Amino acid sequence: MPFKRYVEIGRVALVNYGKDYGRLVVIVDVIDQNRALVDAPDMVRGQMNFKRLSLTDIKIDIPRLPKKKSLIAAMEATDVKNKWENSSWGRKLIVQKRRASLNDFDRFKVMLARIKRGGAIQQELAKLKKQNAS
Amino acid sequence: MAPRKPRASSRNPELIHGIGKYSRSKMYHKRGIWAVKAKHGGVFPLHEPKAAAPTPAEKPPKYYPAEDVKHPIPNRRKHKLTKLRASITPGTVLILLAGRFMGKRVVFLKQLPSGLLLVTGPFKINGVPLRRVNQAYVIATSTKVDISGVNAEKFDDKYFTKEKKKKNKKGESEFFETEEETKALPREKKDDQKALDTPLIKAIEAVPDLKAYLGARFSLRAGMKPHELVF
């Protein structure tokens, strides 16, 4: 079981601790054994400990320490945003956020929908059972 | 001269609280008392004192207390109306947290002069009548109902006070009888409830699932953390 996701310049990572929790950043340089210089389109470039980063599968093609404009252009070119939102990890996070922001009324509507869905499944199952039995 | 409007601001600017810029004599000059006096021949004109109404002769009291009686200073402070939480606006759906209707979701109508909230089920949907409720025992959800067709003007605290029971001082035999007279709700109150609820129910039925929502009680299930829930 070799490593698949490497720390390299252009690796997209998710911040998993601290003020920028949940933000997608790009590793733009490695400072030393523990720290990387990270950058994102809407933040000031800064250092972050690797322990705060969770590496993702996405990598973009940038030279060391690109200018903000070229960073943004490279991110657009590899379409980081859509790749992330379509990945199972990214989708999970979106669903978690949506569930956390549900209103009391929304939770009620979700409950009704789940009951309805369960009912539909049970009906189909009953139909199939009947077919099998006969 | 016809009575003039009094001057808007003082002629003596405040240097610090309690200390004005100008001295007494300067202020005398500024106000122009000297000019008024000059106009009226050296005397400041005064109105004739009103003839005081003759006070009736007071009888000396029959009884003087032996020692001085201390009188408490009368308290003239007035309460301010309880501050309504910003999340509670007319039409908000509230969750009652205590009492007979614990967990019920009700519609908020208005704040009464006593500070309590006027709330209704509506009665036909969840059995909660027009009722007063304390803000502290309520969770405000972010769901709002359109309350523009509802008229809650006539309801105030007096509408909800219990009628005073007359005390029977005579008849010890009545002590042994149970005096429970459950009074039926007067027809008037039932009509008020209906009159208020009909436009409200119409507005509620316009929103899908809202009627069922208001009919259901709120409860915490496994995994629900109140401090993380968005209401």
Side-chain angles (χ1 to χ4, degrees):
Chain A
M1 24 169 279
F3 288 101
K4 291 216 185 81
R5 300 173 186 160
Y6 292 97
V7 168
E8 48 198 333
I9 294 177
R11 175 64 60 187
V12 174
L14 185 70
V15 179
N16 60 26
Y17 181 91
K19 194 177 70 137
D20 296 309
Y21 180 87
R23 199 200 279 262
L24 275 183
V25 291
V26 178
I27 294 178
V28 139
D29 196 4
V30 171
I31 298 173
D32 62 12
Q33 189 190 316
N34 294 321
R35 290 178 297 156
L37 198 61
V38 296
D39 201 359
D42 57 346
M43 84 181 221
V44 177
R45 184 180 289 182
Q47 58 98 26
M48 234 181 226
N49 194 316
F50 287 117
K51 292 188 177 176
R52 290 196 177 194
L53 299 173
S54 300
L55 304 179
T56 68
D57 287 330
I58 309 173
K59 179 176 177 322
I60 67 177
D61 194 11
I62 49 169
R64 191 180 80 96
L65 299 172
K67 290 213 187 325
K68 202 71 157 208
K69 256 200 305 195
S70 40
L71 176 69
I72 295 174
M75 288 182 91
E76 295 283 311
T78 55
D79 205 8
V80 168
K81 189 158 186 273
N82 280 330
K83 271 203 194 143
W84 177 245
E85 283 170 8
N86 294 334
S87 70
S88 57
W89 186 358
R91 273 185 283 133
K92 246 193 293 178
L93 289 188
I94 290 173
V95 169
Q96 276 175 14
K97 217 184 264 183
R98 179 83 185 99
R99 287 205 180 133
S101 71
L102 283 180
N103 197 343
D104 189 45
F105 188 26
D106 292 334
R107 267 175 265 135
F108 182 79
K109 287 191 266 192
V110 164
M111 177 192 68
L112 292 183
R114 300 185 82 206
I115 291 172
K116 205 169 182 189
R117 183 183 68 173
I121 291 173
Q122 287 300 321
Q123 274 190 331
E124 275 303 306
L125 184 63
K127 242 188 266 174
L128 290 172
K129 275 194 187 161
K130 216 169 171 194
Q131 277 183 353
N132 245 17
S134 57
Chain B
M1 286 235 281
R4 305 160 89 201
K5 246 175 57 180
R7 209 185 128 84
S9 61
S10 150
R11 288 179 214 271
N12 194 354
E14 199 182 25
L15 296 175
I16 259 179
H17 176 66
I19 301 180
K21 186 171 170 190
Y22 297 110
S23 67
R24 264 195 187 297
S25 46
K26 276 266 181 345
M27 279 313 296
Y28 173 89
H29 180 78
K30 265 170 136 17
R31 285 168 62 200
I33 313 281
W34 53 272
V36 175
K37 275 192 178 175
K39 204 173 173 186
H40 295 269
V43 184
F44 194 81
L46 295 167
H47 286 291
E48 294 256 328
K50 276 199 210 136
T55 50
E58 281 183 23
K59 270 196 341 205
K62 264 191 273 187
Y63 165 76
Y64 290 98
E67 306 199 349
D68 282 335
V69 177
K70 286 204 173 166
H71 292 286
I73 305 171
N75 183 2
R76 291 186 217 285
R77 287 178 161 199
K78 289 210 164 83
H79 285 294
K80 261 197 182 160
L81 193 59
T82 315
K83 190 166 175 205
L84 202 56
R85 261 183 271 159
S87 52
I88 302 179
T89 61
T92 311
V93 173
L94 307 173
I95 300 176
L96 301 180
L97 293 174
R100 197 174 155 204
F101 301 106
M102 186 161 31
K104 292 262 189 199
R105 296 169 170 123
V106 285
V107 179
F108 169 68
L109 297 173
K110 68 175 190 178
Q111 184 179 32
L112 297 169
S114 66
L116 300 172
L117 313 179
L118 179 64
V119 130
T120 181
F123 186 69
K124 275 228 178 292
I125 294 183
N126 55 18
V128 179
L130 272 163
R131 203 166 202 267
R132 292 186 297 173
V133 123
N134 188 317
Q135 214 187 144
Y137 300 97
V138 137
I139 293 181
T141 66
S142 48
T143 316
K144 313 258 181 226
V145 179
D146 182 18
I147 217 175
S148 52
V150 168
N151 186 1
E153 296 283 314
K154 65 180 263 195
F155 302 108
D156 64 345
D157 292 292
K158 274 201 283 284
Y159 182 88
F160 293 101
T161 48
K162 283 198 197 120
E163 272 147 41
K164 285 214 171 132
K165 281 198 202 141
K166 286 200 198 128
K167 285 192 196 158
N168 301 32
K169 281 202 183 148
K170 32 184 166 166
E172 285 177 11
S173 59
E174 290 175 354
F175 267 41
F176 300 104
E177 295 171 11
T178 46
E179 279 190 60
E180 286 204 35
E181 304 169 4
T182 45
K183 294 210 181 104
L185 202 61
R187 159 120 248 139
E188 207 188 46
K189 293 218 166 170
K190 290 192 190 167
D191 289 339
D192 285 338
Q193 180 80 52
K194 211 187 257 187
L196 190 126
D197 279 353
T198 344
L200 190 55
I201 293 180
K202 227 190 275 175
I204 289 171
E205 284 175 345
V207 181
D209 291 333
L210 189 58
K211 193 165 178 202
Y213 174 62
L214 290 175
R217 281 210 205 218
F218 171 83
S219 73
L220 285 177
R221 303 264 149 75
M224 284 176 130
K225 298 174 199 149
H227 69 292
E228 285 181 357
L229 288 179
V230 169
F231 282 101

